[in-house]
Amino acid sequence: MAPSLDVLVAAAERRYVEANPESRRLHDERARVMPGGNTRTVIHVPPFPLTIVHGEGARLTDADGHVYLDLLGEYTAGLYGHSHPVILQAIRDTLDDGMVFGAPNRHEAALAEALCARFPSLELVRFCNSGTEANLFALSLARVASGKPAIMVFEGSYHGGVFFFGTAAGSPINAPFPFVVAPYNDEETAARLIAAHAHELAAVLVEPLQGWAGAIPGERTFLAALREATAAHGVLLAFDEIMTSRLSTGGLQSAYGIAPDLTTLGKYLGGGLAFGAFGGRVELMSRFDPSRPDSLPHAGTFNNAVLTMAAGAAGLTRVYTDAEVQRLNGLGDRLRDRLNAFASREELPFLATGYGSLVGLHFARGPVRRLSDLPAAPELRTLLHLHLLERGYSYARRGFIALSLPLGEADVDGFAAAVEEFLDAHAEIVRAAVPQ
Ligand SMILES: Cc1ncc(COP(=O)(O)O)c(C=O)c1O
């Protein structure tokens, strides 16, 4: 009789533990001084994650000397890979002039200009240190500008460590704003809730493609309905493009032709260093002009960190050109199309979701329009992840992939072949484990 799913998972976990003694030792060492050996929940996997000691191009080396092709791309922040010469040179050149000035520097205008030129709705922009902060500032601005307290978000959304709605109740450590939580890709319900809550809603905050939920694209009609309903009811519309800004030269807002009032940015736009930004219409953002008598304070020691400004500007103006955006999106389409064609030919409940260079891998029958369309399938996800690690591919166990610029067609083809090998070997188990 073929082994059951839990027997297969237990055997794969045993092989993982045996193959990674140094990662285990380093995990145990961290755990003596950090809760669970961790300072970033999303990178934990049981029994311990791999500790990475070196990165080059799109390759990572772990503490036990295994080399992986990196398909996670640091959850989109690693777009440039681990050693892009333009980024490294920008950082080295900038370092020579010093880096903690307590004053404006000559790199921040270049990055701000590049951002405003690319993202249509960004008339003015300000920098901060993370995507979480960008959303915190953008929403706080919306609350002050509108004089209303509440924010609408969507089930399955992740807008940062204090804005997480994996369930409708939200994370217990969410920022204490009043939230209205609506289903994603359901334009009628969203429009109805916007109308009903217009008196208290400062803004609607939406990812044009939900990343954490599983790389689920927002439908254009849904996003257009949000634009229409918010405009009709005097509510601001904020696009969280922290992951999606890479999906066209001007982000998904430009690809979809929808202009939000506020946009939040982060991840790779700092060249791989800690970064966040928020911006939008002049009349909103100019409230931060310190020369205005009614100006709002926006502080942050590292808001204009010299290395980040220089690396971000170099990447955006010299590396992530329109041609590279198209090429990288093409690689994602190639991977998604191949895996979906394979799964449908073999009649397997497996799906690759996403848009361009962001890909989600799921054990599901589809269609996938929101988080609740995805079975949790934790054992299958674990087994696939361990299978791919053993073959030298790393990505997030949840099934999240963010392609990076050093990757080419042969890389994604090799990865697709390794996924197909898994599906071939475990076809019966996969069919049985995914609900009809
Ligand atoms: C859509 C989205 N918004 C916000 C954030 C938070 O960004 P950061 O981790 O830089 O705080 C993330 C991070 O994954 C994200 O994916």
Side-chain angles (χ1 to χ4, degrees):
M1 211 176 75
S4 63
L5 182 52
D6 48 346
V7 167
L8 287 170
V9 171
E13 276 180 346
R14 256 193 321 276
R15 291 197 302 278
Y16 175 87
V17 169
E18 274 161 23
N20 295 292
E22 186 58 10
S23 275
R24 171 175 225 159
R25 190 188 69 74
L26 290 165
H27 173 78
D28 293 345
E29 186 178 287
R30 287 192 299 272
R32 289 200 285 276
V33 280
M34 301 160 82
N38 177 267
T39 188
R40 184 179 174 201
T41 309
V42 74
I43 57 174
H44 179 72
V45 287
F48 56 85
L50 299 175
T51 294
I52 300 300
V53 296
H54 181 71
E56 209 167 315
R59 303 217 175 248
L60 292 171
T61 306
D62 74 12
D64 290 280
H66 310 115
V67 178
Y68 302 91
L69 191 71
D70 175 11
L71 289 131
L72 173 57
E74 183 52 299
Y75 290 88
T76 72
L79 177 90
Y80 298 112
H82 302 289
S83 52
H84 198 289
V86 170
I87 302 286
L88 293 188
Q89 197 55 47
I91 293 174
R92 288 191 181 112
D93 291 348
T94 309
L95 258 183
D96 287 343
D97 283 324
M99 56 181 184
V100 275
F101 302 151
N105 61 66
R106 64 195 164 85
H107 300 288
E108 57 199 76
L111 181 54
E113 268 167 27
L115 292 173
C116 290
R118 283 173 85 123
F119 299 99
S121 69
L122 229 57
E123 293 174 356
L124 290 173
V125 67
R126 287 181 80 96
F127 298 126
C128 51
N129 296 281
S130 69
T132 306
E133 256 189 61
N135 283 321
L136 197 52
F137 280 118
L139 296 180
S140 299
L141 170 62
R143 281 157 49 101
V144 170
S146 67
K148 295 187 280 183
I151 307 293
M152 179 184 282
V153 292
F154 296 89
E155 280 164 27
S157 63
Y158 181 81
H159 299 289
V162 294
F163 299 111
F164 178 32
F165 299 89
T167 63
S171 158
I173 62 162
N174 273 349
F177 294 168
F179 290 106
V180 176
V181 185
Y184 195 63
N185 274 334
D186 178 346
E187 57 202 71
E188 273 168 35
T189 306
R192 187 167 43 74
L193 287 171
I194 291 168
H197 291 272
H199 62 283
E200 56 169 346
L201 270 185
V204 172
L205 175 64
V206 65
E207 294 165 88
L209 166 149
Q210 285 193 326
W212 179 87
I216 303 174
E219 291 156 11
R220 196 190 170 282
T221 49
F222 167 66
L223 297 167
L226 296 183
R227 177 64 289 183
E228 202 176 304
T230 48
H233 292 281
V235 175
L236 294 167
L237 179 63
F239 272 12
D240 177 341
E241 293 240 42
I242 287 161
M243 276 194 171
T244 58
S245 66
R246 57 156 51 204
L247 295 177
S248 89
T249 318
L252 272 187
Q253 58 189 262
S254 154
Y256 284 159
I258 297 171
D261 303 298
L262 290 165
T263 298
T264 55
L265 300 168
K267 305 280 191 189
Y268 75 96
L269 289 169
L273 303 176
F275 179 73
F278 62 102
R281 295 209 320 268
V282 171
E283 65 269 29
L284 290 168
M285 290 301 293
S286 58
R287 285 297 303 272
F288 289 111
D289 176 349
S291 66
R292 271 173 65 148
D294 65 343
S295 81
L296 297 171
H298 163 225
T301 302
F302 292 109
N303 284 357
N304 64 341
V306 182
L307 299 184
T308 312
M309 298 292 114
L316 207 53
T317 56
R318 294 170 52 204
V319 182
Y320 202 40
T321 57
D322 194 41
E324 283 295 82
V325 174
Q326 303 310 327
R327 184 183 69 83
L328 202 63
N329 280 342
L331 284 184
D333 293 340
R334 182 183 178 95
L335 175 58
R336 211 170 8 254
D337 291 349
R338 172 167 166 173
L339 290 177
N340 284 336
F342 179 87
S344 90
R345 201 166 54 238
E346 303 295 320
E347 296 180 3
L348 284 162
F350 183 83
L351 275 175
T353 58
Y355 183 113
S357 62
L358 300 183
V359 182
L361 302 183
H362 304 291
F363 294 94
R365 296 178 192 273
V368 177
R369 298 181 65 216
R370 56 187 68 93
L371 180 62
S372 56
D373 293 332
L374 289 172
E379 294 93 359
L380 283 177
R381 289 185 189 279
T382 300
L383 195 61
L384 177 63
H385 187 232
L386 293 173
H387 168 94
L388 289 168
L389 284 176
E390 281 184 311
R391 276 147 193 82
Y393 295 100
S394 94
Y395 69 108
R397 185 168 289 185
R398 273 189 69 72
F400 184 75
I401 289 173
L403 299 177
S404 62
L405 293 176
L407 292 166
E409 289 186 352
D411 295 318
V412 300
D413 289 353
F415 177 76
V419 175
E420 290 168 3
E421 183 203 338
F422 173 92
L423 293 171
D424 252 341
H426 301 298
E428 283 321 309
I429 279 184
V430 169
R431 283 195 194 99
V434 178
Q436 286 292 338

